Amino acid sequence: MADSDDPDGHGADSSKEPVDSVDPLAARPSDGPSVLSLGEADQRWSPGDDDGTAECPVPWAQYGAETPAIASGQVPSATDASVDDERFQLSRELSELAFQRRVLHEAEDDRNPVLHRLRFLGITTKNMDEFFMKRVGGLKQQLAAGVTETTPDGRTPREQWEAVLEHAREIFERQSRCFAESVEPALREAGIEIESWGDLTSRERDRLSEHFERQVMPTLTPLTFDPAHPFPFISNLSLSVAVLTRDDDGEERFSRIKVPQNRPRLVPVDAVCANPGGTQTAEAAASTDTETNRFLPLERLIEANLDDLFPDTEVCHSSTFRVTRNAEVRRNEEVAEGLIEMIEDVLRQRRFATVVRLEIADDMPAEVRDLLVEHLDVSEREVFVRPEPLALDGFDAVVDLDRSDQKLEPWTPQRHPRFEGIDADRPDDLFAELRRDDVLLHHPYHSFSGTVQTFLDAAAHDPDVLAIKAAIYRTAPDSKVIGSLIDAAKNGKQVAVMVELKARFDEENNLRWVKRLEEEGIHVAYGTIGLKTHSKVALVVREEDGDVATYSHVGTGNYHSETAKGYVDLGLVTADEAIGGDLVNLFNSFTTHARNREYDRLLVAPENLRSRVTELISNEATVARAGGDARIVAKMNALEDPEIVRELYRAARAGVEIDLLVRGICRLRPGVEGLSESVRVHSVVGRFLEHSRIYYFANGENEQGGERDAAYFVGSADWMTRNLDRRVEAVAPVDDPAIRAELETVLASMLTDNRRRWLMRSDGSYVQLEPVEDGPTLDTHERLAERARESAPDPDGRPSRGEPGRDPEVDLEEVYTDSGES
């Protein structure tokens, strides 16, 4: 997905020295330096040097963009302070907003092609929508309930709510400014124009008005508020037009028009003018024989034709607004008559939930604003005044234009070398390959359909397979994974599926699948009361030579074919009998009332995951105190659990070198003198959503003679309280030396990145690394994509170093719109 003129997608000069000539990962043998030595340059940098004088951690990088602090930088020496001091815990909410700033920077960064930037403006909108629905909604519930208990960082719910709104306001201002001052001018320069009604010719207006009358107006329902009509219900996240009219008696009235969500948000001007009565699509706009792609936002078309909706009435003013409602609607599982009924009720309640945000256009009259504030029951703090257009996530017609010159080069997931030549119709070949050695899958670099889907398809049609079990948290609306499980049941296999009905915002989709699976006679479990099942595991039980063998898949991501094209996830496929036995017990705990408390190899939450992680961190501290080399490298989506943060502080004080690759939320403050000087926190934000979890402990495993060996783990759990205590999670150990080396390479790539990596300071601010002038560009996603491309075999089995083919189904629109529970 790089610019067509730039194979690296970052504007690098192709005449510069090749990356591999200075790449620390280049040609490193599997028995080369351990992960202890990875990113050695980084180990000498203290991110606590917030005066800007700190030397950049790698010689091929310099400091670039920064985000604001979310906490005081004046933390005194912590040598004698308790790790329980609330000053050493950052705000969960503000840390999440710091991540949204890094996401927004992808749109602000003019090194990115303009359609990539526009996509990230939309992603920022979706992410902030979700943040307000979930996190701000939860805070507002606490305020209504009179909760005054403080968070680990010492804030009351009201203090959190006020701080969140202040930081969010600045993000919205930056987002709107980015579109108006940077992205829209760049689009126009590229021949892509977002038009206003006044920009059009009289002929174009006539043709568009004809289109409005025939295609749009019949779908609209203006709702007027007056003594005879109640204030209209405003649905969540709907874009609305507020209209102020005056009748013959001079009385002004307010009306609301919902911009229809089943019509294209952007009207292709030239295509409509050529055929006003036709149904217009993005494809029609792209095929119009003009040098410029021109679009008119649907709300502007509606506002320009209000006289048709309000005949014989004076239209005084119109402007747009948008409402966000609380999604934190819950019921007690233990008193619900049934889990399915409870989830259906929650979905209904969300439609009418409390308003937590009101976005209004900056030209809205004061009387209309006051009316909305009063009837939607919001405070002035919750009103966000923004220049139009609102809802920047509605510009798909532009983002999806066939303009390769304005996009990153599309990425095609590659064939996995171990799955080359494997056909689901020849399952013996697949299971023989899995018995030979464990396999590590790395999406989206490796094809999901050619690995996970092939594994399940082969099992579904293999006469020797006795049973298939899978845990589904999220899956695609047209899931082939579910199709394979249904096929397996039809072929006489015992099939059990754990479907988590409480997967936020996917409840409705999962309800549909539950009903379909049950119609096929498949055993379906809905989850465990009091816990969400977040593990991503599948088990195949097969008869072999008169015995029974198990084949396990333990992943970090969902069984979702579409997100697997944009989420960076790992999957371990193994024939290890102990892991298979653990999964048998785990699935039994899903389908019965009994919970298995002990596991041989797997780390399972809430049973043994927290205690084992704590033990592994403590082991490193013990080694460091004894003068040994101790190192932790942990990659996750979020580090939120206060006690794990304290345990990491204890380890850092003991001298453990710690690198934390945390995509989003991080409570830990690195670089605090006397507390976390040996801790570095990194965040990689780029074309793919970093979603995998990798945990490395240099002294994690006991060996004979009292010596300790390194321990590696992959799995579904972040270091968040909910994952450790309120979710069913599964994390698997990695023993295979080749797979360990592969994980080491992934970590090394991220720790030496100088294009997409951000470093965290002790005040919660981040600074992005940039390539030095005439230096190499080391982009994690591009490097690992190239690595997968080089290792992918040709159809004849030879490694392929050619360009990948195009996959028209790859769509990264939802990549960064992550619910935080995926």
Side-chain angles (χ1 to χ4, degrees), residues 128-143 161 164-165 168-169 172 234 236-237 322-329 352-359 376-384:
M128 292 300 290
D129 288 349
E130 190 169 294
F131 178 80
F132 269 81
M133 287 189 291
K134 290 169 50 180
R135 305 306 306 174
V136 180
L139 289 173
K140 198 163 182 180
Q141 281 184 326
Q142 292 180 51
L143 291 177
W161 179 71
V164 159
L165 295 182
R169 194 174 306 278
F172 293 139
I234 314 296
N236 185 39
L237 300 183
R322 190 166 178 260
V323 162
T324 308
R325 293 183 179 274
N326 177 23
E328 283 292 300
V329 180
F352 305 100
T354 304
V355 175
V356 295
R357 178 181 59 168
L358 171 62
E359 298 171 89
L376 293 173
D377 192 25
V378 294
S379 68
E380 284 296 331
R381 286 181 183 271
E382 297 167 293
V383 179
F384 295 86

Side-chain angles (χ1 to χ4, degrees), residues 228-244:
H229 301 90
F231 188 82
F233 173 75
I234 314 296
S235 54
N236 185 39
L237 300 183
S238 59
L239 182 62
S240 299
V241 178
V243 183
L244 198 61

